[in-house]
Amino acid sequence: MCALPNSPPALTVDVLVGDRYVPVMIMSSPTTPFAFSPALATYTPVTPQVSTTLPAMVADGQYWTHPTLMSLPLPLARTTRAGNVVVRPVWAHNLREEVEQIESLLHRFRYAAVDTEFPGTVYRPKVPTYALTAEKKYALLKTNVDELHLIQLGLTLFDAAGRLPDLGTGVQYVWEFNFREFDVRCHRHAQESIALLRSKGVDFDRTRRDGIDAAAFGPRLRKLLRGGLGDAGVITLSGAYDLAYLVKMMLGSGYKLPATPAAFESVVKAMIRKRLYDVKEMARRCPRDIDLRCGLDRVAGKLDVRRAVGEAHQAGSDSLLTGQTFIKIRERYFVGDDVS
């Protein structure tokens, strides 16, 4: 594999292949920018020892809108548990009606919180992620997302006050889209991630049988974004991987992520065209005496936000908790006008 004359320099990252770390060269080609060099790595199915949590691909602030911190945080108000919330599962058979329902709500619920579930990561660095350069962090994100398939997408719509759609029923709703592409029998994955998702109720036989074709969903997602999805803001937590999977889905299964972080940022902005808020990045900007630099459940707990439905690592539930945590952290620490 040869790099293009004007392509970025090749990167070498130590990644886990089989049961050992090997230096893997990541370079660009006309068809697969930053592809693994076959001379240095193989794709033999393995059982990688990787974390079941989202990889720590820190965006270093380049993708996100940063609201203005208040000079003095407001007292932390006691948050009561949200009312009755139901996760609406979306499969191939009800995709059209659920997307139409969502379209009808976009003018009233202008914020969108998203969460993705995928088969873990099959490449990770030998050194701690924080020790990597931004380019190497992105190279790892790219190689994982290019190879793996999205399993679930959680979507929560809410307004500036944090209210959810009730569809006139008195019950509040969030959505969980289930996709069919991932086949646990033949696609690479982190075994512990699959075990975790199974323990949270993911039925991989059913997703293959009844799941949504990502190729059919991509155009619908683009239409939703054009129609107002997330017009006031798209909310994630450590969301670089979320954004990468959304971009991959919108541009088709054969699409490979761009070669550089800067090019990725340009693609994200071109495809999503919304303000992007990352709860983890917002927490990092809070006063140092208020340590919110931790996972979603711990950040939410410190803000007295309780999970209203489901469990961690269920996409619909996590998208809701991400949205509720965004509302609370914005109210307490940031000037509200910046995120309206």
Side-chain angles (χ1 to χ4, degrees):
M1 180 182 297
C2 297
L4 294 173
N6 295 322
S7 64
L11 297 176
T12 300
V13 182
D14 288 334
V15 300
L16 188 68
V17 177
D19 60 355
R20 63 192 180 92
Y21 285 98
V22 298
V24 173
M25 184 174 293
I26 304 172
M27 59 180 67
S28 62
S29 77
T31 57
T32 311
F34 271 153
F36 279 114
S37 169
L40 296 176
T42 65
Y43 289 90
T44 304
V46 297
T47 306
Q49 299 177 9
V50 299
S51 171
T52 57
T53 60
L54 277 176
M57 192 286 182
V58 179
D60 297 326
Q62 69 262 42
Y63 309 129
W64 319 115
T65 299
H66 293 302
T68 303
L69 281 167
M70 293 181 180
S71 56
L72 291 174
L74 296 174
L76 185 60
R78 183 170 182 79
T79 302
T80 57
R81 191 178 181 86
N84 190 19
V85 178
V86 171
V87 176
R88 295 174 71 92
V90 186
W91 304 90
H93 74 272
N94 67 338
L95 174 62
R96 180 176 178 178
E97 64 183 78
E98 292 298 326
V99 169
E100 290 176 351
Q101 183 70 76
I102 290 169
E103 287 176 335
S104 72
L105 299 167
L106 297 180
H107 68 288
R108 291 178 51 210
F109 300 94
R110 301 179 62 245
Y111 289 90
V114 299
D115 176 76
T116 58
E117 298 296 336
F118 46 89
T121 55
V122 294
Y123 298 103
R124 66 166 181 167
K126 185 175 182 179
V127 300
T129 306
Y130 65 78
L132 297 176
T133 65
E135 288 76 16
K136 289 190 175 183
K137 290 175 186 176
Y138 175 73
L140 287 168
L141 176 148
K142 173 181 166 51
T143 50
N144 279 291
V145 174
D146 280 349
E147 182 166 346
L148 303 177
H149 299 281
L150 187 62
I151 296 171
Q152 287 185 333
L153 168 66
L155 174 65
T156 294
L157 305 179
F158 57 101
D159 64 16
R163 291 182 291 259
L164 308 177
D166 64 9
L167 309 183
T169 66
V171 176
Q172 301 174 88
Y173 294 101
V174 301
W175 283 263
E176 190 171 81
F177 296 82
N178 300 276
F179 298 99
R180 69 178 307 274
E181 278 67 31
F182 175 69
D183 189 338
V184 72
R185 297 167 298 181
C186 60
H187 289 146
R188 297 193 69 195
H189 58 270
Q191 284 191 343
E192 65 270 35
S193 294
I194 297 305
L196 176 62
L197 291 174
R198 279 191 170 126
S199 75
K200 302 299 183 178
V202 176
D203 182 339
F204 291 102
D205 291 330
R206 186 179 182 191
T207 57
R208 285 291 293 168
R209 183 181 68 247
D210 300 331
I212 302 161
D213 185 344
F217 184 73
R220 294 178 185 271
L221 180 56
R222 293 198 302 269
K223 183 180 178 183
L224 285 172
L225 287 165
R226 290 196 302 268
L229 177 67
D231 267 359
V234 174
I235 321 301
T236 64
L237 184 133
S238 296
Y241 275 75
D242 297 323
L243 297 176
Y245 276 105
L246 293 182
V247 165
K248 178 180 177 179
M249 184 175 297
M250 286 190 284
L251 293 176
S253 58
Y255 175 75
K256 301 298 183 183
L257 294 178
T260 66
F264 175 61
E265 180 181 0
S266 296
V267 171
V268 168
K269 288 180 177 179
M271 295 302 298
I272 297 180
R273 296 177 177 271
K274 312 290 179 180
R275 293 182 179 184
L276 301 174
Y277 297 100
D278 191 289
V279 173
K280 191 70 171 283
E281 287 296 312
M282 292 173 68
R284 282 156 51 94
R285 291 165 56 83
C286 288
R288 290 186 178 273
D289 59 327
I290 308 294
D291 185 9
L292 298 177
R293 294 169 293 177
C294 45
L296 175 59
D297 280 286
R298 290 185 62 190
V299 171
K302 289 183 178 184
L303 294 166
D304 204 19
V305 178
R306 300 291 177 257
R307 194 178 287 271
V309 64
E311 303 177 52
H313 300 288
Q314 294 176 339
S317 175
D318 277 352
S319 71
L320 173 58
L321 190 60
T322 298
Q324 292 175 320
T325 303
F326 166 78
I327 288 291
K328 180 59 67 173
I329 200 171
R330 181 197 66 175
E331 289 177 348
R332 175 157 169 76
Y333 295 106
F334 295 90
V335 178
D337 288 346
D338 285 345
V339 289
S340 61

